[in-house]
């Protein structure tokens, strides 16, 4: 049992209940009490095994839910730093074509450890590069998530439309459709846990309209319906994509997905930056979720997504760090502020409030991935995924409203992060892995990957200095 007391609490429940000083009690993997003032005194067997956490100076919120990421990209950060999406992809596809399972394991451990330190308790991942001879890269990232201790929703991504078929990726990084569908179904058979307490669920995620075929999208739709799993892809990220869709399919990206049965409550889409008013309404009417990735959109100059309009239309909107190669920071807590900034750059100073940003990062993300019944708010009966932010340091102490301090202030240190009732971070330190070891492994994997490309500048640099 864990008893957290004396902290401010933003429950992010439907009524927006908050407490200036309150308690959260965890028994096993569930929250059993949330309220004002001190916790009730525990009785019986549980009373002898209580971990008391004094939350004085802290704010408790639901753990953040990361709705879009590419963990393997952690070891290809800092490349093509001044490029459009298509230029950036064209530079990076050949690098990614050389990754193997050991690279993905190191990258995913680093990326997930970093996410935990920014208050993330559940992360999705979109992995779509499966080079020949790379080993089992999906198993590698699943093992990484198990070792770090985060709740994990990896998607089996895919690309089947190479350059020779009019797509953007080089042919050597695409797979054939039968291989993709068989591997996706095998991943569901092996890993997917449909239970409410699941630590691991598999989704299906063809990469984007410009890297997959109509047939793959249609078959992925059928497979998701048959197996009861979620669908995910990138959509409407850039004007280049809009032009590609118009030229190739004669319609917008949202109309294209709609024609393939790809809008609905079991679908969430990354980005959705370039949408007409009609497309926003259509996403709302179908209950299709959106993973809003404001920092990545800024890094690639993709544009300002209409997140406030999407919320107004009833769309489930979550936050994603995306990247990591298109968003080197990778801190999910920063996306709370970035979401607010982007909404206000588009719509003025009242376009999005701090509490709406926090809701996007928590219950909004849970809705995107179909877990709103058990994640995303601090309520008795929900799973014990809790972030306790320290707000009494120099960066935040003089801001009276704790939610404003969290969202508008610098990323806050974590006093505690629990996932499924287990402690992942305490006292600002990752408890499930060595921070130093994660950094060293990621750096070694990055250098190894770069060294395998004879034409890359870093290879030349290493050659000169070693
Ligand atoms: Zn992405």
């Amino acid at each position: 049992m864990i008893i957290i007391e004396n902290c401010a609490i933003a429950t992010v429940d439907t009524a927006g209940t908050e407490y200036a000083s309150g308690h959260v009690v965890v028994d096993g993997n569930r929250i059993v009490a949330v309220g004002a003032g001190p916790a009730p005194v525990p009785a019986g067997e549980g009373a002898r095994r209580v971990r008391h956490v004094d939350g004085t100076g802290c704010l408790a919120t639901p753990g953040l839910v990361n709705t879009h990421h590419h963990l393997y990209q952690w070891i290809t950060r800092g490349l093509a730093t001044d490029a459009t999406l298509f230029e950036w992809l064209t530079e990076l596809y050949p690098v990614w074509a050389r990754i193997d399972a050991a690279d993905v394991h190191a990258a995913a451990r680093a990326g997930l450890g970093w996410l935990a330190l920014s208050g993330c308790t559940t992360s999705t991942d979109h992995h779509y590069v499966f080079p020949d001879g790379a080993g089992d890269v999906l198993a590698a990232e699943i093992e990484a998530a198990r070792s770090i201790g985060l709740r994990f929703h990896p998607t089996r991504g895919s690309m089947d439309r190479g350059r020779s078929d009019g797509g953007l990726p080089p042919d050597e990084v695409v797979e054939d459709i039968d291989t993709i569908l068989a591997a996706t179904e095998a991943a569901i058979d092996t890993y997917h846990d449909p239970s409410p307490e699941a630590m691991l669920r598999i989704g299906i995620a063809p990469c984007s309209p410009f890297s997959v075929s109509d047939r793959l999208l249609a078959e992925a739709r059928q497979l998701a319906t048959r197996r009861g799993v979620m669908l995910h892809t990138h959509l409407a990220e850039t004007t280049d994509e809009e032009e590609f869709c118009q030229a190739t399919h004669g319609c917008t990206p949202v109309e294209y997905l709609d024609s393939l049965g790809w809008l609905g409550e079991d679908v969430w889409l990354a980005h959705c930056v370039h949408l007409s008013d009609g497309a926003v309404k259509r996403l709302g009417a179908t209950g299709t979720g959106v993973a809003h990735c404001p920092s990545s959109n800024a890094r690639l100059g993709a544009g300002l997504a209409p997140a406030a309009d999407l919320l107004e239309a009833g769309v489930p909107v979550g936050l994603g760090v995306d990247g990591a190669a298109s968003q080197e920071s990778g801190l999910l807590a920063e996306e709370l502020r970035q979401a607010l900034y982007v909404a206000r750059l588009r719509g003025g100073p009242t376009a999005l409030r701090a509490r709406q940003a926090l809701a996007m990062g928590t219950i909004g993300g849970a809705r995107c991935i179909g877990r709103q019944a058990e994640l995303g708010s601090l309520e008795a009966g929900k799973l014990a995924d809790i972030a306790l932010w320290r707000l009494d340091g120099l960066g935040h102490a003089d801001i009276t409203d704790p939610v404003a301090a969290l969202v508008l202030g610098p990323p806050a240190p974590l006093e505690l992060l629990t996932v499924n009732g287990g402690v992942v971070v305490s006292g600002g330190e990752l408890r499930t892995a060595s921070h130093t070891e994660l950094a060293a492994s990621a750096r070694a994997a990055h250098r190894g990957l770069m060294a395998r490309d004879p034409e890359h500048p870093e290879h030349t640099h290493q050659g000169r200095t070693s």
Side-chain angles (χ1 to χ4, degrees):
M1 181 175 271
I2 301 174
I3 298 179
I4 305 166
E5 290 181 293
N6 308 320
C7 52
I9 301 172
T11 66
V12 200
D13 64 7
T14 319
T17 307
E18 296 182 10
Y19 303 102
S21 180
H23 62 269
V24 182
V25 181
V26 172
D27 193 2
N29 67 347
R30 297 268 176 187
I31 296 168
V32 294
V34 182
V41 177
E45 186 64 22
R48 287 196 288 276
R49 293 175 283 105
V50 176
R51 175 181 179 141
H52 283 277
V53 177
D54 180 5
T56 303
C58 297
L59 168 68
T61 70
L64 303 182
V65 177
N66 180 31
T67 57
H68 188 62
H69 207 351
H70 312 285
L71 287 162
Y72 75 96
Q73 293 179 12
W74 191 268
I75 58 168
T76 63
R77 295 189 300 160
L79 305 177
T81 52
D82 307 298
T84 68
L85 173 68
F86 281 15
E87 292 165 350
W88 173 87
L89 283 169
T90 301
E91 180 168 336
L92 283 163
Y93 282 137
V95 181
W96 296 337
R98 300 193 304 274
I99 60 162
D100 62 22
D103 292 330
V104 171
H105 188 251
R109 274 173 57 81
L112 290 163
W114 194 237
L115 280 170
L117 287 166
S118 66
C120 175
T121 49
T122 297
S123 186
T124 62
D125 192 59
H126 187 177
H127 190 96
Y128 54 85
V129 182
F130 296 86
D132 279 341
D136 193 339
V137 296
L138 189 66
E141 67 168 358
I142 286 171
E143 166 53 27
R146 190 205 55 75
S147 70
I148 299 296
L150 292 199
R151 206 178 291 283
F152 197 39
H153 282 222
T155 57
R156 207 302 181 176
S158 50
M159 300 190 289
D160 74 330
R161 186 188 186 110
R163 234 164 255 165
S164 60
D165 291 324
L168 189 69
D171 289 351
E172 66 264 28
V173 295
V174 305
E175 300 173 283
D176 74 76
I177 195 163
D178 294 333
T179 303
I180 291 166
L181 293 169
T184 305
E185 186 135 31
I188 297 167
D189 288 338
T190 307
Y191 300 113
H192 184 70
D193 177 1
S195 76
E197 302 190 346
M199 287 292 289
L200 180 61
R201 284 195 186 166
I202 299 290
I204 304 175
C207 187
S208 60
F210 51 85
S211 62
V212 307
S213 66
D214 303 356
R215 189 184 146 215
L216 177 54
L217 286 167
E219 300 242 3
R221 165 76 273 177
Q222 286 179 18
L223 180 57
T225 303
R226 181 160 58 80
R227 300 302 304 266
V229 301
M230 301 284 299
L231 279 172
H232 181 54
T233 192
H234 296 96
L235 201 80
E237 182 173 357
T238 64
T239 51
D240 288 342
E241 180 189 327
E242 171 98 18
E243 286 162 18
F244 178 92
C245 257
Q246 289 290 358
T248 310
H249 308 295
C251 61
T252 67
V254 169
E255 289 166 344
Y256 175 56
L257 281 199
D258 208 354
S259 74
L260 293 161
W262 254 76
L263 301 183
E265 290 178 358
D266 61 350
V267 181
W268 88 105
L269 305 169
H271 303 302
C272 292
V273 175
H274 300 280
L275 299 177
S276 66
D277 292 347
V280 169
K281 287 196 180 75
R282 184 73 185 134
L283 294 180
T286 53
T288 310
V290 170
H292 178 35
C293 307
S295 291
S296 173
N297 297 156
R299 154 74 153 86
L300 291 168
L304 307 173
D309 297 342
L310 289 164
L311 287 180
E312 181 74 29
V315 175
V317 181
L319 295 177
V321 294
D322 197 12
S326 65
Q327 207 281 73
E328 278 76 358
S329 171
L331 287 171
L332 186 53
E334 282 186 345
E335 299 306 299
L336 301 172
R337 184 173 75 255
Q338 293 290 84
L340 182 141
Y341 282 179
V342 163
R344 292 182 179 188
L345 286 168
R346 261 187 83 99
T350 59
L352 195 78
R353 301 187 307 277
R355 281 163 176 78
Q356 288 177 292
L358 179 60
M360 271 188 198
T362 53
I363 191 71
R367 287 180 69 199
C368 281
I369 60 170
R371 302 293 302 267
Q372 66 271 26
E374 59 265 15
L375 302 175
S377 62
L378 298 182
E379 297 178 78
K382 284 210 163 181
L383 294 170
D385 291 10
I386 303 165
L388 186 67
W389 311 87
R390 182 153 287 290
L391 298 176
D392 56 1
L394 181 57
H396 309 88
D398 52 308
I399 304 176
T400 304
D401 176 355
V403 175
L406 177 67
V407 174
L408 299 175
L414 277 174
E415 182 58 34
L416 183 73
L417 186 79
T418 66
V419 180
N420 215 39
V423 174
V424 175
V425 177
S426 66
E429 300 284 336
L430 193 59
R431 297 298 170 188
T432 51
S434 154
H435 195 278
T436 310
E437 185 271 320
L438 294 185
S441 297
R443 180 167 174 78
H446 166 78
R447 292 176 73 95
L449 183 63
M450 292 296 120
R452 296 202 290 277
D453 177 8
E455 294 180 9
H456 195 275
E458 182 145 333
H459 179 85
T460 310
H461 174 73
Q462 286 174 355
R464 279 202 307 272
T465 55
S466 61

